[in-house]
Amino acid sequence: MTVPKAFLKQNRKKRLEQGHPWVYPGEIEKIEGDPQGGDVIHIVNHAGHFLAQGFYNPLSQLIIRVVTYSETEVDENLFFAKIEQAWQRRQWLLPEATSCRVVHGEADFLPGLIIDKYEDVLVVQILSLGIEVRRQWIFDALKKIFKLRGIYERSDVPVRRLEGLEERVGFVEEPFDTRVTVCENGLSILVDVAEGQKTGYFFDQRENRAALKPLMTGWGTRRGIHVQGNGQPIDAKGKEIKNPFWNGAEVLDCFSHTGSFMLHACLFGAKKVTCIDVSEKAIEMAKGNALLNGFLHRTEFVAANAFDFLRDQVKGKKTWDVVILDPPAFAKSRQALEGALRGYKEINLQGMKLVCNGGILVTASCSYHLSSTLFLNMLQEAARDAHKVLRLIEFRRAGIDHPVLLGSEETDYLKFAMYEVFDR
Ligand code: SAH
């Protein structure tokens, strides 16, 4: 059987050769053969030279998604090998991790496939027709590679429509308890893979959460507390300090969801963390996680809309040493970018105002439509309006289990910055 061929135009930008994993309809000169949606197709240049193989979907703007740059047959064995290699890469780069992202779509050369490992549970999300029609190959490979309690599918995302697919959620085979306690940086975090955001948890910020460590202590000293020769801390007025976390930060964790930032803040010595999330369920989950790790007495929880909460706190002249903003993607499409930018600016502006002079703003965005440049411009405008000067401690991206392909900015979506905030 001859594989159908897509001839690319001569005068196109050489994006595919630069590592970009998608072909758009306008780049195709002609198609030879009669490929059906989901079929493998050979991508060749105008002269017929082989470039790659991909999944074809005429319904999608991403009409071809690259699967392999070799001419090897795209079969069950290839899928098995790709998933196994992806897992080996995580074991190599994150030897401690028992829970992480195992397959990150295009960046693992499995376009439109996400696999997250939550200890002995795997969560699969399928975002392309080419993967959808081969779903059984994936489940078979996973059962061979991992010792599993079960697989859960979280293909409940509207982008599937763009591929002509309905949303789907549920157990792949036998049902099991969808609550899993994952271990991260020594913490226990209870997540529900059926109920939580996305696939249940956000592994992409693992290293970013760990980066909070140096920021969580030193605040008591700044406030004039010092330790006497006998080891007893006293404040500037000579009063004895009893709280063992006297030197820790007071932290506001906005959009707390599972409370993963709060848990790390406590682990690293925070004195008090306030979690806020609009979802009661999320607040319950964060509270449960504080309890699970013995941090309940250092935490408080507010179910509220962050926009209102932040504004109210500014009005009340409240400040924190560290304010963390980890909002959901406000910009789900390019068209939504303008409105999203207003949202990001608003929370950042209010967030900055809530940071004490010399304190820290930790701010993130997971919208890939919001480029790093736009993100930084937005922060600059917010700082200007808030009368603050920001000094960068560190700018970070997604963790090592969310690889980024050079030439594919779509895989580089997460921005995470830690700033010192000074009054102006
Ligand atoms: N920091 C979290 C992940 C954030 S996910 C973690 O570490 O797990 C985004 C969260 O924002 C969700 O839990 C959602 O309920 C919450 N959210 C969305 N809109 C909100 C709003 N307007 N105010 C407060 N929380 C909001």
Side-chain angles (χ1 to χ4, degrees), residues 197 202 255-258 260-261 277-279 304-307 326 328:
Q197 299 269 318
F202 298 93
F255 308 94
S256 56
H257 191 233
T258 54
S260 68
F261 281 97
D277 197 291
V278 76
S279 146
N305 184 324
F307 286 85
D326 182 28

Side-chain angles (χ1 to χ4, degrees), residues 89 94 98 118 121 147 196 213 216 255:
R89 180 181 183 276
L94 287 171
T98 47
Y118 292 84
V121 166
K147 258 184 94 174
K213 191 171 184 179
M216 288 300 136
F255 308 94

Side-chain angles (χ1 to χ4, degrees), residues 82-153:
K82 279 171 182 278
I83 296 173
E84 195 177 45
Q85 279 159 17
W87 174 227
Q88 281 167 355
R89 180 181 183 276
R90 274 61 178 186
Q91 289 176 293
W92 163 50
L93 294 171
L94 287 171
E96 308 286 307
T98 47
S99 293
C100 65
R101 175 148 297 186
V102 174
V103 171
H104 187 50
E106 290 41 16
D108 281 297
F109 310 109
L110 284 160
L113 177 65
I114 303 293
I115 301 174
D116 282 343
K117 179 176 186 294
Y118 292 84
E119 306 295 317
D120 56 356
V121 166
L122 291 176
V123 181
V124 173
Q125 187 172 70
I126 296 173
L127 307 168
S128 67
L129 178 63
I131 295 288
E132 177 77 22
V133 298
R134 293 167 183 83
R135 46 194 286 117
Q136 200 53 47
W137 292 359
I138 293 155
F139 302 141
D140 291 344
L142 294 178
K143 284 188 281 185
K144 276 191 211 142
I145 297 168
F146 298 95
K147 258 184 94 174
L148 291 179
R149 191 149 63 82
I151 307 175
Y152 197 83
E153 180 165 2

Side-chain angles (χ1 to χ4, degrees), residues 233-399:
I234 56 165
D235 70 13
K237 291 184 187 136
K239 195 171 149 255
E240 287 192 357
I241 306 292
K242 296 274 188 309
N243 185 342
F245 296 98
W246 61 271
N247 208 13
E250 291 186 16
V251 181
L252 176 64
D253 177 10
C254 279
F255 308 94
S256 56
H257 191 233
T258 54
S260 68
F261 281 97
M262 165 272 290
L263 295 173
H264 283 78
C266 289
L267 175 71
F268 300 141
K271 188 166 141 200
K272 180 82 185 264
V273 186
T274 306
C275 285
I276 96 127
D277 197 291
V278 76
S279 146
E280 296 274 357
K281 242 187 197 163
I283 287 292
E284 282 314 307
M285 193 158 48
K287 207 184 271 185
N289 281 326
L291 179 67
L292 191 61
N293 291 275
F295 299 148
L296 209 49
H297 61 296
R298 282 194 277 154
T299 49
E300 67 181 13
F301 300 88
V302 186
N305 184 324
F307 286 85
D308 303 332
F309 179 89
L310 291 168
R311 234 175 276 135
D312 288 348
Q313 300 303 308
V314 170
K315 263 192 218 138
K317 301 216 180 319
K318 174 86 181 104
T319 59
W320 278 270
D321 301 321
V322 180
V323 171
I324 301 169
L325 303 172
D326 182 28
F330 291 155
K332 295 232 160 58
S333 66
R334 203 173 295 280
Q335 294 73 22
L337 193 55
E338 210 171 299
L341 269 170
R342 278 196 297 275
Y344 284 117
K345 183 179 167 191
E346 170 67 10
I347 56 165
N348 278 282
L349 184 137
Q350 305 298 344
M352 283 172 202
K353 287 186 181 169
L354 291 177
V355 176
C356 66
N357 193 19
I360 311 257
L361 177 74
V362 176
T363 182
S365 164
C366 57
S367 302
Y368 82 78
H369 298 287
L370 184 74
S371 64
S372 300
T373 312
L374 284 177
F375 180 68
L376 294 175
N377 285 346
M378 175 279 295
L379 286 175
Q380 207 172 325
E381 280 183 26
R384 182 195 63 201
D385 293 1
H387 293 275
K388 302 285 179 185
V389 173
L390 267 58
R391 182 164 70 187
L392 184 66
I393 296 176
E394 227 184 316
F395 190 90
R396 308 178 55 91
R397 299 184 174 280

